[in-house]
Amino acid sequence: MEKLNSSMHSKLSECMIERLRHKKVFTVIDFIREDQDKLRTATDLSFKEVMDIKKILTEKFGGVVKKPSNLWKLEQLNTICTKIKSLDDLLGGGLNPGQIYEICGISSSGKTQLCLTIASNIALLPNNVVRYIDTKGDFFASRVETILNHKTNNEEEINRAMEQIRVTLIRDPNKLLDILRRMINILKQEDDIRTKALIIDSLPGIIFKFSKEPEINITLNHLSNLCRFLANEFYIPIIIVNLTTQWTPLSDKSSGSATKETQTLVNPTLGKYWLHIPSTRLLIEKLNNDYRKITVWKSFQIKMDSVCSVKLSEAGVT
């Protein structure tokens, strides 16, 4: 916080500031928080003068209070549509900037296909960049091109969209953290062509492969802090792919009764620390053939257990 100085208010002389320092009032926030009577004693100012200085300092250095309704309207105006209608309807219009989304599911449930489709749809719009971090080595430009070919016949649009999906292959958790740190400077320098979404596909393999047990939560802590900063500072949605674990609890044989039906418990991986990090967690599950069910597993904005269905095809997820 800014240190007090004589240029902040005509009543704050250097002598007065020195007297305030003896009372351990060094910064603007110290002055605003301090009791009025103590400030009057330290400065010999009147109650009105002390309150006037507090008001000026608060207006100059305090945060701007915004109405929740205005923030909601701003968020709605900047919502990023996935162009997958049922998913956009489920999400209340699309991906909200500043939010961290997580897509969970078992292997081959369609998580990567969903990410590729979202990236392709966003990048099709002019000046929209999608940052795609691939940790598995299974990002195929040919697959993206196939998805784009089903959306437009314009070769120039397809080439531009493919250029606007910026892919980085990462095999090490420390390098993942490094690239996210470097991305801060990259995003600061963007002008007309701006990043609209960041996708990390996926986390479990890279975290569990290279991190030892005591280090996992430390790595996840650094990762969550970086993701939150990027999402909030640059007002972009972040999509992170995660796996699920499935297990069946043992029946209680000591009670002398066996349950006729046991329920399989499904949980996201990465442990308890990571559970609260995503703003919205989606679970994608196989139905039959090429159809998938997407369920809202966790969200503070969307009703829990809300469901939509999508189809996997050559055109991506539709």
Side-chain angles (χ1 to χ4, degrees):
M1 176 54 73
E2 196 80 19
K3 289 186 177 181
L4 288 171
N5 63 69
S6 57
S7 64
M8 292 178 177
H9 196 280
S10 59
K11 296 289 184 180
L12 287 175
S13 63
E14 289 294 343
C15 179
M16 195 175 294
I17 290 172
E18 189 61 35
R19 289 161 64 183
L20 287 169
R21 286 174 185 153
H22 285 296
K23 297 293 183 179
K24 296 185 178 180
V25 179
F26 303 100
T27 66
V28 170
I29 196 167
D30 291 338
F31 190 94
I32 293 172
R33 287 178 173 176
E34 189 57 86
D35 180 74
Q36 287 87 327
D37 290 330
K38 291 182 180 179
L39 291 174
R40 286 173 57 197
T41 303
T43 60
D44 291 331
L45 295 173
S46 66
F47 178 82
K48 184 178 180 306
E49 289 171 326
V50 168
M51 293 305 295
D52 181 60
I53 295 174
K54 281 194 173 190
K55 180 182 177 182
I56 297 297
L57 293 180
T58 301
E59 290 174 353
K60 187 174 181 180
F61 297 98
V64 178
V65 178
K66 295 183 179 180
K67 293 182 179 179
S69 58
N70 292 339
L71 291 174
W72 174 251
K73 289 178 183 177
L74 180 64
E75 190 170 88
Q76 292 302 299
L77 288 172
N78 289 279
T79 297
I80 307 296
C81 293
T82 68
K83 298 297 180 68
I84 304 169
K85 188 179 184 306
S86 59
L87 180 59
D88 284 334
D89 290 343
L90 180 71
L91 297 175
L95 302 169
N96 289 322
Q99 303 296 325
I100 298 175
Y101 294 84
E102 183 176 79
I103 300 172
C104 295
I106 62 173
S107 180
S108 302
S109 57
K111 302 182 297 298
T112 294
Q113 292 301 313
L114 181 58
C115 288
L116 293 177
T117 304
I118 292 173
S120 301
N121 290 344
I122 294 174
L124 260 177
L125 295 175
N127 303 328
N128 280 4
V129 170
V130 178
R131 306 278 173 182
Y132 200 110
I133 297 177
D134 177 19
T135 70
K136 302 178 296 180
D138 60 359
F139 179 97
F140 294 103
S142 58
R143 181 69 185 110
V144 173
E145 187 175 12
T146 300
I147 293 172
L148 292 170
N149 275 317
H150 280 82
K151 300 181 183 302
T152 178
N153 294 320
N154 189 316
E155 189 174 344
E156 185 179 342
E157 285 184 353
I158 293 172
N159 291 336
R160 186 194 65 220
M162 293 195 62
E163 288 177 359
Q164 289 177 178
I165 301 176
R166 313 286 169 82
V167 185
T168 305
L169 177 61
I170 297 293
R171 297 288 196 180
D172 181 274
N174 292 323
K175 289 183 179 178
L176 173 60
L177 297 177
D178 287 341
I179 196 65
L180 292 177
R181 292 187 191 101
R182 277 187 280 164
M183 200 173 289
I184 294 172
N185 292 326
I186 293 171
L187 297 183
K188 282 180 179 178
Q189 296 172 16
E190 289 184 338
D191 191 9
D192 295 330
I193 300 177
R194 300 192 63 82
T195 296
K196 293 296 183 178
L198 167 64
I199 299 173
I200 303 176
D201 182 17
S202 70
L203 274 189
I206 197 172
I207 294 295
F208 293 129
K209 186 176 181 180
F210 293 97
S211 295
K212 296 179 181 179
E213 187 66 32
E215 298 172 346
I216 289 177
N217 281 353
I218 297 173
T219 302
L220 291 177
N221 181 53
H222 290 319
L223 178 64
S224 64
N225 288 337
L226 283 168
C227 286
R228 282 169 172 164
F229 180 82
L230 287 165
N232 293 324
E233 183 72 13
F234 301 102
Y235 212 50
I236 59 174
I238 296 178
I239 300 172
I240 296 172
V241 174
N242 195 0
L243 291 170
T244 57
T245 58
Q246 299 185 22
W247 57 284
T248 304
L250 296 173
S251 59
D252 188 4
K253 295 181 180 180
S254 62
S255 63
S257 63
T259 57
K260 293 181 179 180
E261 187 177 333
T262 56
Q263 185 177 7
T264 301
L265 300 179
V266 181
N267 293 306
T269 61
L270 299 178
K272 292 183 178 179
Y273 174 82
W274 186 257
L275 282 175
H276 70 282
I277 303 300
S279 310
T280 298
R281 176 175 286 116
L282 304 175
L283 175 64
I284 182 168
E285 299 172 284
K286 293 181 180 180
L287 291 176
N288 51 58
N289 297 325
D290 297 325
Y291 288 90
R292 301 290 186 269
K293 178 176 74 171
I294 299 178
T295 307
V296 177
W297 207 354
K298 170 208 168 182
S299 180
F300 65 90
Q301 289 180 320
I302 311 166
K303 184 180 178 182
M304 293 281 289
D305 298 324
S306 299
V307 175
C308 77
S309 62
V310 296
K311 182 181 180 181
L312 272 61
S313 67
E314 283 293 308
V317 176
T318 58

